């Protein structure tokens, strides 16, 4: 069974940085888009960033554009989310997701999800 495992979350002061990683155990990783989402208690899941299969096309949610960067390493089956200039409102559980196609835009479909990693930026 294919699994996505996130890591890299933690507690960081406002203005600091974190880098999340998500490693896939599947063979199709290099053929599909990958995305990062966030969700908190009682809130809807929110698209954060996406990257296409080859890594040449990226998308970002409005609230993180210019501060976060998504990248991938298809040799390591890993997608990353570099989070810079973090704000209190970035506190949430972050999930990576595997797309069903080669794209990973906000309108793309995602079919496999990781267990999430907590990011906390205290006020």
């Amino acid at each position: 069974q294919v699994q996505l495992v996130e890591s890299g979350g933690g507690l960081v002061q406002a203005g600091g940085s974190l880098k999340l990683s998500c490693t896939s155990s599947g063979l199709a990783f290099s053929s599909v888009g990958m995305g990062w989402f966030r969700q908190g208690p009682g809130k809807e899941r929110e698209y954060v960033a996406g990257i296409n299969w080859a890594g040449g096309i990226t998308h970002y949610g409005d609230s993180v554009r210019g501060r976060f960067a998504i990248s991938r390493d298809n040799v390591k089956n890993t997608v990353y989310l570099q989070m810079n200039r973090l704000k209190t409102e970035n506190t949430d559980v972050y999930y990576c997701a595997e797309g069903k196609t080669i794209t990973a835009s906000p309108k793309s479909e995602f079919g496999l999800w990781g267990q999430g990693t907590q990011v906390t930026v205290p006020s």
Side-chain angles (χ1 to χ4, degrees), residues 3 9 12 17 41 43 53 58 71 79 93 102 109 114:
Q3 288 186 315
V12 61
S17 299
K43 299 193 305 184
W53 68 283
T58 57
S71 61
V79 61
V93 178
I102 61 174
E109 290 187 53

Side-chain angles (χ1 to χ4, degrees), residues 66-113:
R67 296 188 298 121
F68 290 12
I70 188 171
S71 61
R72 67 188 297 161
D73 184 334
N74 285 349
V75 174
K76 296 182 179 179
N77 268 25
T78 300
V79 61
Y80 306 96
L81 184 68
Q82 177 67 47
M83 311 166 72
N84 299 322
R85 305 201 310 274
L86 281 160
K87 304 177 181 179
T88 301
E89 53 262 41
N90 294 132
T91 295
D92 237 330
V93 178
Y94 285 74
Y95 300 87
C96 71
E98 181 181 278
K100 292 186 176 181
T101 69
I102 61 174
T103 62
S105 74
K107 296 182 179 180
S108 298
E109 290 187 53
F110 295 85
L112 180 66
W113 298 82

